[in-house]
């Protein structure tokens, strides 16, 4: 959390994706994925550099996660199941905890759910682009792009899987 806060603060002050870690001088860094610090840096530029701004951003993202859970579940299992799933997502303690820490989880969950909604709607370019953004948020998501592409190949065809992959890489 401290690294994301430090990088976002540098972004807010016009110093780019920069950090002191692991040196003692400010330098451009790729130690953390850049998307969340860039988004958080934008919030810091508007609201000031403090944890409350980060918590507010994550709470808004977490609210969109609940809405996305509803949308995806409604498409897959109907509105009654969607209400139950969204209600559970609203009160699930780990999701609430994600919203009050300066970490990537709310943004990553929102991007992943958006990708799932796009793939379910057969919007391969949007799904690939959201997966690419997810890769810029969580390096642990790297395997997701080829796995989802294989699923698309299996369920649709190889051309659509290639479109998804290209959109995710670009």
């Amino acid at each position: 959390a401290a690294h994301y806060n430090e990088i976002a603060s540098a972004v807010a002050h016009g110093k780019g994706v920069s950090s002191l870690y692991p040196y003692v001088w400010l330098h451009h860094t790729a130690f953390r994925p850049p998307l969340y610090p860039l988004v958080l840096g934008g919030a810091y530029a508007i609201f000031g550099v403090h944890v409350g701004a980060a918590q507010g951003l994550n709470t808004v993202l977490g609210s969109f996660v609940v809405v996305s859970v509803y949308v995806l579940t409604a498409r897959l299992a109907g509105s009654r199941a969607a209400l139950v799933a969204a209600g559970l997502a609203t009160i699930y303690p780990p999701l609430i905890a994600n919203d009050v820490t300066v970490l990537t989880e709310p943004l990553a969950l929102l991007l992943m759910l958006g990708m799932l909604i796009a793939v379910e709607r057969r919007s391969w370019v949007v799904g690939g682009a959201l997966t690419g953004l997810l890769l810029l948020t969580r390096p642990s998501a790297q395997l997701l792009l080829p796995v989802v592409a294989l699923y698309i190949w299996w369920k649709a065809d190889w051309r659509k899987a290639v479109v998804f992959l290209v959109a995710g890489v670009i």
Side-chain angles (χ1 to χ4, degrees):
H3 287 152
Y4 288 117
N5 189 55
E6 177 187 6
I7 296 167
S9 177
V11 168
H13 291 104
K15 297 176 182 166
V17 181
S18 302
S19 175
L20 296 174
Y21 183 81
Y23 307 112
V24 293
W25 63 88
L26 192 67
H27 63 283
H28 294 293
T29 184
F31 187 73
R32 299 282 178 210
L35 187 59
Y36 181 70
L38 288 170
V39 171
L40 182 58
Y44 280 175
I46 296 169
F47 300 109
V49 178
H50 50 83
V51 174
Q55 290 172 328
L57 172 67
N58 281 359
T59 300
V60 169
L61 293 171
S63 298
F64 284 119
V65 165
V66 172
V67 171
S68 297
V69 165
Y70 177 86
V71 169
L72 180 62
T73 307
R75 291 188 63 87
L76 296 175
S79 61
R80 183 173 292 168
L83 282 173
V84 171
L88 290 173
T90 302
I91 62 171
Y92 189 55
L95 290 180
I96 295 169
N98 286 340
D99 294 347
V100 296
T101 59
V102 185
L103 294 173
T104 64
E105 278 75 3
L107 179 58
L109 283 170
L110 183 60
L111 291 169
M112 185 180 64
L113 287 164
M115 178 272 298
L116 291 171
I117 292 167
V119 167
E120 196 279 329
R121 291 182 175 173
R122 299 185 171 276
S123 181
W124 314 122
V125 173
V126 172
L130 289 171
T131 307
L133 291 172
L134 178 60
L135 294 175
L136 293 173
T137 306
R138 300 282 302 184
S140 59
Q142 291 173 351
L143 192 57
L144 189 60
L145 189 65
V147 167
V148 174
L150 285 173
Y151 173 80
I152 292 168
W153 187 348
W154 177 54
K155 286 293 191 178
D157 71 25
W158 69 270
R159 289 178 217 79
K160 292 176 174 82
V162 169
V163 167
F164 176 84
L165 278 172
V166 169
V169 172
I170 293 175

